[in-house]
Structures are given as structure tokens and as C-alpha cells.
């Protein structure tokens, strides 16, 4: 397996010299990390950060994890990707996602409807731009050039000097099938290897088969927090501390009617608990929602435990079909996070 992590500048106190997030990424490269993804969500934009990291690093791949389709035109996405790829010497991975109605409509004021069509058409237009020809698209979401005007198809004046892999963030069955059909990689979350076959891979494989491809043609990239406990007592404390975070994902993410994380957990065997957590969270009972989250739910979707437990869990992830493991290292300081990340990278290497 390859190793990756995700950084986010939204809550970091960055400075002109880089800040802790940049220092973390630079040191992570020295530890042998293969890929660094930069998140955007509803905070700092990913593109600016990726450009800065490209100048501060030399070897590891850099990816947008993710750019939100709908907040940028498809051609602007392509221009951005080509620029970052060329500047980084071909180290850029383009990660795209639909996000959700709360961010797309509530923050950006863009309609969220038909996210599947928007992503599919965006990928088609982006790939046209990468190929260097004139861009022409007549879809339900985008028309290039705009009909009824004086414009004719154009090509970009810049060229992609390297191949740019396209990754899609996907949780729903339909988006997973699309990922299998058109993407070079799948960015997933809420991943439980024991339930992944039916919840995720069955849909991904249908998309791959429809395009005449196999699992080896796509990079399966899954992420989870990694933390090391010295003993069982410390582990119990870790689990308790993470139940509220999971309760928020199940109950507070997305809009009042749309929560893709809740649906993902439901498809992996926790439908009743996920529904109950959501109901309590939505009516303001945060403590009650947190109390419903089980130890098994935390351990199933994280890489926390003793060193032996984490090593064994990584092997389960590998055997389930994960090609790139995205590690979110725990720690209260930069040094602690790097120490955790370094230990995890060594465990992945030991797996072979």
C-alpha cells in the first residue's frame, strides 16, 4: 500500500514562512509519505495551499482532496489542474467531489441538484481540456460554447506536460459506479473493510465493468485516523473521546435531509444506530447521540489501538482492496503528529 495524509489550512495559524501545516507536510515527505492531499471544505481554498506546497516539497504527490464541482467552472478546474501539475513537475492529482447541499447552496449559493450529472460532465470537459483540443460540450449541466451566441469552441493556450490522474470522492452507489467508469482513483471515507464489499466495492466494480476495466485500473484511497495506545486503559479513553466526533458525522454533517456519511454507515450494518444518532443530534441531544455510538463503530472506521492492533488492522485494509491508506495522525503538537505518522508509515512498509 502507498501512504497518504490530508492537511487542511482552515484552522491553522499559517504564516509567510509556512506555518505548522506546511512544516508537517515537508517533514512528512522526509518520512517517506507518498501523497499529501489538501482539503478545502468550507475553509481555506486548496489551490493556493497546493501551489505553496509544490514549491516546498520535491518528491511526494500532491492532490486536491477535494475541489468542489459547482463552485468552479469545469474549464477553470482544468486550467488549475494543468498549472499545478506543470509547476510541480507532474506531481499533481486532481480530486473532485460534489460536496453537499449545505456547503454548495448554503455557502456558495449554487444549486446542488443533479450532482452526479455535474460531476460526470465536469470530468468529460476537464479531460477534453487536458487533451489539448478544442473544448465542446452539450450537456444538461454545461454547454460549451454557450448556444445562441457568437462564440466558437476554443482550446486552452496552456498544455498539460504530464498525465493528470482524476480522483472522485464518492460514497453513494451511483457516484461509486460513476467513479468506476471514469476515474483513475476513488477517494473514500467512512470505510469499514468488513462491510465494504456490499456497501462500496459492488457498486465500484459495476462501474469498472461497464467501462471494460478491472479493480487494478483504479487507485482505491481510503482514510482514517491513526493513533497508538500504550495499553488497553489508554485505548478505552481514546475510543470515548472519538465517539462525539462520529456522532457529529452521523447527525450533524450535511443538511437536515441529506447526510451521505449517515447513509454510508447505514449500508455497512449500522442502520438503526445511525438513524437513532441522527434523530437525537437533530433535536439537540448531543450527549444522547454520542452515547449511542458503540466501541465497534469507532474501531471499525479508524486505525487506533496498540501497535499490534494497528498493524493487524492495516493488513485487513490492504486485504480488503485498499491501495493507498490516507493516515490522519493523532497528536496535540506537530512533533506528536509526525511521530504517529512515522510509526504508521513504518507499519505499512512492513506489510510489504
Amino acid at each position: 500500500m502507498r501512504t497518504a495524509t490530508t492537511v487542511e489550512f482552515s484552522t491553522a495559524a499559517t504564516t509567510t514562512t509556512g506555518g505548522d501545516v506546511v512544516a508537517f507536510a515537508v517533514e512528512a515527505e522526509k518520512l517517506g509519505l507518498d501523497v499529501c492531499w489538501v482539503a478545502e471544505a468550507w475553509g481555506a481554498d486548496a489551490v493556493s495551499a497546493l501551489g505553496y506546497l509544490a514549491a516546498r516539497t520535491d518528491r511526494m504527490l500532491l492532490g486536491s482532496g477535494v475541489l468542489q464541482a459547482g463552485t468552479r467552472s469545469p474549464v477553470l478546474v482544468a486550467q488549475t489542474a494543468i498549472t499545478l501539475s506543470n509547476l510541480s513537475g507532474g506531481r499533481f492529482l486532481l480530486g473532485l467531489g460534489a460536496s453537499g447541499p449545505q456547503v454548495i447552496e448554503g455557502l456558495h449559493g449554487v444549486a446542488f441538484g443533479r450532482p452526479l450529472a455535474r460531476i460526470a460532465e465536469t470530468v468529460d470537459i476537464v479531460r477534453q481540456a487536458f487533451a489539448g483540443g478544442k473544448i465542446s460540450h452539450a450537456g444538461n449541466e454545461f454547454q460549451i460554447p454557450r448556444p445562441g451566441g457568437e462564440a466558437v469552441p476554443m482550446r486552452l493556450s496552456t498544455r498539460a506536460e504530464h498525465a493528470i490522474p482524476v480522483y472522485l470522492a464518492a460514497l453513494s452507489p451511483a457516484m461509486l459506479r460513476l467513479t468506476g467508469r471514469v476515474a483513475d482513483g476513488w477517494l473514500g471515507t467512512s470505510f469499514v473493510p468488513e462491510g465494504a464489499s456490499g456497501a462500496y466495492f459492488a457498486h465500484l466494480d459495476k462501474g469498472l465493468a461497464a467501462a471494460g476495466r478491472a479493480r487494478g485500473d483504479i487507485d482505491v484511497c481510503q482514510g482514517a485516523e491513526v493513533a497508538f495506545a500504550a495499553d488497553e486503559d489508554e485505548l478505552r479513553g481514546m475510543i470515548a473521546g472519538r465517539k462525539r466526533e462520529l456522532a457529529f458525522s452521523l447527525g450533524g454533517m450535511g443538511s437536515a435531509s441529506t447526510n451521505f456519511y449517515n447513509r454510508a454507515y447505514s449500508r455497512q450494518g449500522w442502520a438503526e444506530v445511525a438513524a437513532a444518532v441522527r434523530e437525537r443530534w437533530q433535536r439537540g441531544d448531543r450527549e444522547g447521540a454520542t452515547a449511542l455510538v458503540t466501541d465497534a463503530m469507532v474501531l471499525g472506521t479508524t486505525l487506533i489501538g496498540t501497535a499490534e492492533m494497528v498493524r493487524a488492522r492495516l493488513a485487513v485494509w490492504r486485504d480488503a482492496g485498499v491501495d493507498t491508506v490516507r493516515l490522519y495522525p493523532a497528536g496535540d503538537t506537530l512533533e506528536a503528529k509526525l511521530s504517529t505518522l512515522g510509526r504508521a508509515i513504518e507499519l505499512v512498509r512492513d506489510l510489504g
Side-chain angles (χ1 to χ4, degrees):
M1 284 192 298
R2 293 193 306 181
T3 56
T5 194
T6 296
V7 299
E8 185 173 354
F9 285 72
S10 301
T11 57
T14 55
T15 71
T16 55
T17 59
D20 283 351
V21 175
V22 175
F24 173 81
V26 169
E27 293 303 316
E29 182 179 56
K30 295 177 183 177
L31 292 172
L33 189 76
D34 296 305
V35 188
C36 181
W37 296 93
V38 178
E40 192 166 69
W42 51 92
D45 81 284
V47 175
S48 301
L50 283 160
Y52 191 67
L53 289 179
R56 294 293 305 274
T57 56
D58 300 304
R59 178 196 54 80
M60 69 182 177
L61 300 175
L62 301 168
S64 56
V66 295
L67 298 186
Q68 299 154 347
T71 63
R72 299 171 175 88
S73 76
V75 173
L76 178 57
V77 170
Q79 290 175 294
T80 300
I82 291 171
T83 302
L84 288 169
S85 178
N86 290 352
L87 285 175
S88 65
R91 293 187 289 131
F92 179 65
L93 309 174
L94 175 59
L96 294 170
S99 189
Q102 182 57 50
V103 171
I104 298 301
E105 296 183 347
L107 186 62
H108 294 286
V110 177
F112 181 71
R114 304 182 300 277
L116 186 71
R118 188 167 62 250
I119 290 286
E121 292 187 29
T122 295
V123 172
D124 177 69
I125 296 165
V126 164
R127 289 247 170 84
Q128 284 191 55
F130 288 172
K134 292 184 178 180
I135 302 166
S136 178
H137 181 85
N140 293 323
E141 303 301 310
F142 304 101
Q143 298 83 42
I144 301 174
R146 290 286 297 176
E150 299 179 10
V152 296
M154 295 176 59
R155 59 169 55 88
L156 295 180
S157 62
T158 187
R159 295 289 183 270
E161 298 170 2
H162 313 273
I164 305 174
V166 176
Y167 285 64
L168 294 183
L171 283 174
S172 72
M175 197 66 79
L176 285 162
R177 290 192 291 273
L178 175 66
T179 301
R181 288 199 305 274
V182 306
D184 301 296
W186 167 38
L187 293 172
T189 186
S190 307
F191 183 79
V192 183
E194 291 82 1
S197 178
Y200 294 128
F201 285 122
H203 309 292
L204 185 71
D205 289 342
K206 284 183 180 178
L208 288 166
R213 302 200 296 164
R215 188 81 64 82
D217 296 318
I218 196 166
D219 177 29
V220 175
C221 181
Q222 295 293 331
E225 181 186 12
V226 59
F228 294 96
D231 51 39
E232 293 293 332
D233 287 339
E234 185 178 4
L235 177 58
R236 281 191 288 271
M238 286 182 173
I239 293 171
R242 284 151 180 82
K243 287 185 176 182
R244 185 176 178 87
E245 298 172 10
L246 183 49
F248 169 69
S249 293
L250 296 171
M253 288 291 286
S255 67
S257 61
T258 305
N259 184 321
F260 298 112
Y261 301 94
N262 190 289
R263 293 175 186 175
Y265 276 86
S266 296
R267 293 197 304 272
Q268 294 178 100
W270 288 304
E272 292 186 7
V273 175
V277 169
R278 180 176 174 80
E279 189 276 328
R280 292 202 180 190
W281 190 278
Q282 290 291 321
R283 60 181 168 89
D285 183 8
R286 307 294 197 253
E287 296 305 318
T290 300
L292 292 174
V293 177
T294 66
D295 291 3
M297 293 176 75
V298 174
L299 292 173
T301 52
T302 62
L303 293 164
I304 67 174
T306 63
E308 293 75 17
M309 291 173 64
V310 174
R311 181 184 294 107
R313 199 68 186 154
L314 283 167
V316 172
W317 278 49
R318 177 200 60 193
D319 295 344
V322 174
D323 301 302
T324 302
V325 58
R326 204 161 66 251
L327 304 162
Y328 306 138
D332 295 328
T333 65
L334 174 63
E335 291 74 18
K337 289 180 180 179
L338 287 169
S339 176
T340 299
L341 181 63
R343 292 181 69 184
I345 290 173
E346 287 298 323
L347 289 179
V348 174
R349 286 174 178 163
D350 289 346
L351 289 176

